């Protein structure tokens, strides 16, 4: 599609009507443009105050609160070799990893939405990290980072935190 304004309108409509995230790759194939064009389109839509969030599973419109009813922010510290195990512990307990954030001394708070809820979500995230040789955001802060985790009950969150403490991933 050659008309960027019409393409952005259609991207917005797709995101508003979708009940699941839509990947940049899917959008680039649908509109027969590069992934870089889609990234630019999403940035422009965000600048126009459309509440689009980029997650590890794709783009979503933030019409509803993300995650589950009960939320907790946890402070973690570990190296990149332990990242997958940390995330696995959380989803094995039935919780979702909503995001990761750091408090950088120069840039301030930096946050990335993850929305990892299932084993498939985790496998895809790890695969993408490996494919693009991604570095943990926490590399900027001596591996210290925060996660917002959410679940259907407080007990699920308690169990996830307990198991993370056993592996010494939680900073107290």
């Amino acid at each position: 599609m050659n008309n960027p304004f019409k393409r952005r309108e259609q991207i917005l409509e797709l995101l508003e009507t979708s009940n699941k995230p839509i990947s940049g790759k899917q959008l680039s194939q649908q509109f027969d443009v590069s992934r870089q064009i889609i990234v630019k389109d999403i940035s422009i839509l965000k600048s126009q105050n459309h509440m689009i969030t980029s997650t590890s599973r794709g783009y979503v419109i933030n019409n509803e609160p993300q995650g589950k009813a009960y939320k907790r922010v946890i402070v973690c510290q570990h190296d990149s070799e332990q990242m997958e195990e940390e995330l696995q512990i959380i989803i094995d307990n039935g919780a979702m990893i909503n995001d990761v954030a750091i408090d950088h001394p120069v840039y301030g708070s930096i946050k990335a939405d993850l929305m990892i809820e299932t084993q498939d979500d985790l496998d895809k995230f790890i695969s993408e990290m490996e494919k693009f040789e991604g570095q943990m955001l926490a590399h900027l802060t001596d591996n210290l980072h925060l996660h917002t985790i959410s679940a259907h009950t407080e007990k699920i969150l308690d169990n996830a935190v307990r198991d993370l403490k056993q592996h010494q991933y939680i900073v107290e």
Side-chain angles (χ1 to χ4, degrees):
M1 168 170 291
N2 291 335
N3 184 334
F5 300 105
K6 193 170 222 40
R7 183 182 58 245
R8 288 182 202 123
E9 283 178 9
Q10 290 179 345
I11 289 171
L12 198 54
E13 185 178 323
L14 283 171
L15 292 173
E16 288 173 340
T17 58
S18 179
N19 59 356
K20 62 182 183 175
I22 303 174
S23 73
K25 181 179 179 181
Q26 289 172 295
L27 291 171
S28 68
Q29 289 172 345
Q30 182 164 347
F31 293 104
D32 195 28
V33 295
S34 71
R35 174 78 174 85
Q36 189 171 357
I37 295 292
I38 296 298
V39 170
K40 181 179 176 184
D41 286 344
I42 295 294
S43 294
I44 290 169
L45 290 168
K46 285 180 178 181
S47 76
Q48 297 169 345
N49 295 321
H50 295 286
M51 300 304 292
I52 299 171
T53 299
S54 304
T55 74
S56 62
R57 297 185 289 178
Y59 299 109
V60 294
I61 294 279
N62 284 340
N63 291 333
E64 302 176 4
Q66 296 288 313
K68 304 194 187 313
Y70 296 91
K71 295 184 184 198
R72 192 170 301 171
V73 176
I74 56 175
V75 181
C76 301
Q77 189 169 28
H78 57 77
D79 61 31
S80 58
E81 287 78 35
Q82 298 166 311
M83 176 183 65
E84 184 174 1
E85 182 180 39
E86 171 209 36
L87 300 175
Q88 188 73 56
I89 289 168
I90 296 167
I91 66 168
D92 282 352
N93 276 285
M96 171 189 270
I97 304 102
N98 294 41
D99 58 43
V100 60
I102 61 168
D103 288 320
H104 191 272
V106 176
Y107 298 115
S109 181
I110 301 172
K111 179 177 136 183
D113 291 313
L114 297 177
M115 304 312 284
I116 298 172
E117 180 176 18
T118 66
Q119 188 64 50
D120 285 343
D121 296 341
L122 179 57
D123 292 345
K124 182 178 179 193
F125 176 75
I126 297 300
S127 174
E128 293 291 306
M129 287 290 283
E130 290 170 355
K131 178 180 174 183
F132 294 104
E133 298 178 9
Q135 296 284 324
M136 289 188 340
L137 191 56
H139 279 291
L140 298 172
T141 55
D142 195 29
N143 295 326
L144 189 66
H145 59 284
L146 299 96
H147 284 296
T148 303
I149 60 174
S150 62
H152 292 300
T153 68
E154 285 286 344
K155 182 69 173 160
I156 292 171
L157 295 176
D158 292 342
N159 291 342
V161 168
R162 177 201 65 217
D163 291 352
L164 289 167
K165 283 180 180 177
Q166 287 176 349
H167 286 82
Q168 299 179 334
Y169 291 148
I170 297 263
V171 175
E172 297 187 88

